[in-house]
Amino acid sequence: MIRAVGDPRVRGLAGSLVGLDLGGSGSRLAVLPTAGGPRRVLDGPRVEVHAGGSSAPQVIREMLSHAMTSWPEETSRLAGVGIGASGLASLVRDPHELAVQLSAELGTPTAIAIDAVTAHLGALGEAGGAVVALGTGAIAISHPGMAEAAGGDHAWRRVDGWGHLLGDRGGGAWLGRRGLEAAMRAYDGVDHGGHALLVAGRERFGAPESWPAQLYTRQDRAGVLAEFAAAVVGVAGRGDETACVLVRDAGREAAKSGLAALGEDRPANLVLTGGLVGAGPLLSDAFAEEVARQRGDVSIGEALGDPLEGSLSLARLRARDALGPQEGFIWS
């Protein structure tokens, strides 16, 4: 989305806004110039997980350096920086210290948040409700609304986001892994329903006997599994029953997480966002059906923007000191 001159998010600020959205399938950076004009966008590498934790701090610094080199005029004066990244709460040693370091290095107020926060800000703006973000992983998050939660220590509430081994139910890695499990069951002769997925798996990874060596040794395993989710969706699109069941299951799991995050004390608004939403009506219809089955009072809305838009909103809120930190969610 290209913003016109006079974007209200930079109006009255002393410099440009920078937002970063980091995930297992890739990263993006946007600069919103204070002087107006179109925003600048940069694509970057996926976040990897290794023995020392997440590569997010390195990716953040590399992308910021690249942006400042590419657009020195737009980044010469910054009003605020907002960063949303997966795995911050569990795979980065000290997110608060990272935020402090980045603020000092950049000379500008900086906030970092789990990617669910920026997904929420992108999808709902400052309104209350819950957002389910389906990307490489899956996480649901709710907030009562900025006006209602000013200064609240427990405003943000999350469900899932525990990674592809323990959770991320309904996300890309979850769907890709289940697709490969069905393919392996067909290969073993246990359940031939996964035959079409076995064919897709061979096309992507080669001989099934080689799949464990290809997947178990990868530091970016979640991203690789999420890439196969596209194949599962494609097989489902051709009417394969097993693949259709998996895609519908993803929608239902997303709905369950979203409703759990919403609870009974938040505005009854729910939004499904993230790259996997592109799977189409098979997933989104199952999501809506599960929501209606459990909570007929909940309204399902369209996302106002994506997580990158949310990271720019986080930068603006940080620049105006309008959004306080909350352990496990936002650090500044």
Side-chain angles (χ1 to χ4, degrees):
M1 183 187 304
I2 294 178
R3 298 274 176 176
V5 172
D7 189 308
R9 285 180 297 183
V10 292
R11 196 174 297 153
L13 296 178
S16 302
L17 296 176
V18 175
L20 289 90
D21 172 39
L22 285 73
S25 299
S27 302
R28 296 179 298 162
L29 177 149
V31 179
L32 198 60
T34 188
R39 71 180 187 178
R40 309 289 190 177
V41 179
L42 171 69
D43 292 326
R46 70 178 76 190
V47 173
E48 298 181 355
V49 179
H50 43 72
S54 170
S55 66
Q58 292 82 8
V59 173
I60 290 168
R61 288 186 166 92
E62 289 170 7
M63 294 188 71
L64 287 170
S65 177
H66 191 174
M68 291 177 177
T69 301
S70 301
W71 307 303
E73 183 176 349
E74 290 88 341
T75 58
S76 61
R77 295 184 64 195
L78 299 178
V81 175
I83 302 166
S86 60
L88 277 178
S90 54
L91 297 172
V92 173
R93 187 181 304 276
D94 190 340
H96 171 69
E97 180 60 24
L98 176 61
V100 170
Q101 290 175 359
L102 290 171
S103 294
E105 293 167 13
L106 298 169
T108 194
T110 301
I112 62 174
I114 60 173
D115 53 352
V117 166
T118 46
H120 194 288
L121 291 172
L124 284 173
E126 298 188 10
V131 169
V132 185
L134 298 183
T136 297
I139 188 169
I141 189 166
S142 70
H143 194 275
M146 296 303 164
E148 291 79 0
D153 292 332
H154 303 286
W156 296 99
R157 182 166 65 216
R158 67 177 276 184
V159 170
D160 205 357
W162 305 124
H164 69 286
L165 295 178
L166 297 177
D168 285 354
R169 299 176 295 273
W174 181 92
L175 181 58
R177 176 177 56 80
R178 293 195 70 193
L180 288 173
E181 287 176 0
M184 274 301 195
R185 289 172 67 84
Y187 179 71
D188 286 337
V190 173
D191 184 351
H192 294 291
H195 175 73
L197 291 167
L198 176 59
V199 173
R202 288 182 187 273
E203 291 175 353
R204 173 66 176 82
F205 297 106
E209 313 92 87
S210 72
W211 296 359
Q214 291 186 60
L215 293 170
Y216 296 161
T217 58
R218 294 286 294 259
Q219 294 180 346
D220 58 347
R221 180 171 57 245
V224 175
L225 290 171
E227 289 172 357
F228 190 70
V232 178
V233 171
V235 172
R238 296 193 292 273
D240 180 79
E241 182 179 355
T242 298
C244 286
V245 168
L246 295 180
V247 174
R248 286 195 294 266
D249 282 350
R252 282 191 285 267
E253 290 294 334
K256 293 173 185 176
S257 293
L259 292 173
L262 195 62
E264 302 289 342
D265 59 338
R266 302 287 160 99
N269 303 315
L270 185 58
V271 172
L272 181 64
T273 186
L276 198 57
V277 177
L282 199 61
L283 186 149
S284 58
D285 286 354
F287 177 84
E289 289 164 6
E290 184 65 23
V291 171
R293 187 184 71 81
Q294 292 198 38
R295 287 276 304 269
D297 62 313
V298 172
S299 173
I300 299 175
E302 295 289 330
L304 299 175
D306 63 10
L308 186 59
E309 291 287 337
S311 70
L312 288 168
S313 295
L314 179 63
R316 175 183 58 81
L317 291 166
R318 179 67 182 96
R320 292 177 171 159
D321 199 23
L323 185 63
Q326 181 178 328
E327 183 61 31
F329 293 88
I330 302 174
W331 300 266
S332 58

